[in-house]
Amino acid sequence: MTMTGLVARYADAWNAHHPEACADCFAPDGERVWRVLAPPHVGGDPFPRFRGREAVREGIAAFVASVPDLVVDVTALSDGSDGRIWIEWRLSGTHLHDWGPWPARGEHVDFVGVSIFTQGDQGFAEERLYWDQLLMTGPPAAVSAAGD
């Protein structure tokens, strides 16, 4: 499978709310690396790494449970000169269940981020994620401003 095909499969799995299918896009020892300061409920490294398919699945499952109607749109995709794929994405949905210290208020969330993928022999070796947490976890006015 091509790298861009794998990104499409990954986005489709997010939109199907299928954490296992998301995790299956990663190599067995692949990682999702947050390049944003982790919320307090994620212990350990302030910039956490979810290593291995099971850890990737668990992390995605927790978020999907908190925003069960989420939609991920890939708004831009580019091949890097070093073989990496860069995407800009937009996630929207309704925050219905607590996610760690982010209390559910039934608010609409709408924020953008960037993921950078490196491919391994059996899927993504790494996904680096960047987003503005204030847009995700701030007060409803800040969250809705992302759509402007």
Side-chain angles (χ1 to χ4, degrees):
M1 175 176 289
T2 67
M3 183 69 153
T4 54
L6 189 57
V7 169
R9 188 174 118 200
Y10 186 56
D12 289 346
W14 270 98
N15 286 319
H17 308 142
H18 199 294
E20 293 82 10
C22 291
D24 287 345
C25 293
F26 285 79
D29 61 346
E31 294 186 302
R32 291 186 86 223
V33 181
W34 290 7
R35 297 295 188 180
V36 295
L37 188 61
H41 77 282
V42 178
D45 191 337
F47 302 98
R49 295 176 176 269
F50 301 87
R51 181 179 290 237
R53 287 181 178 153
E54 184 58 21
V56 168
R57 185 201 64 75
E58 288 174 2
I60 292 172
F63 189 77
V64 168
S66 72
V67 185
D69 63 344
L70 69 80
V71 175
V72 174
D73 291 312
V74 174
T75 57
L77 181 146
S78 180
D79 289 310
S81 61
D82 58 0
R84 293 183 290 176
I85 295 286
W86 302 61
I87 66 169
E88 181 178 55
W89 46 263
R90 182 177 189 165
L91 185 144
S92 60
T94 310
H95 182 207
L96 296 178
H97 303 284
D98 292 350
W99 185 51
W102 185 28
R105 299 182 299 239
E107 77 273 27
H108 180 73
V109 294
D110 188 331
F111 62 98
V112 296
V114 172
S115 290
I116 303 170
F117 297 95
T118 304
Q119 189 166 6
D121 292 337
Q122 299 177 48
F124 298 134
E126 182 181 69
E127 176 190 13
R128 293 183 190 173
L129 295 110
Y130 302 83
W131 72 86
D132 183 340
Q133 279 206 311
L134 180 58
L135 294 176
M136 188 174 100
T137 61
V143 174
S144 64
D148 297 338

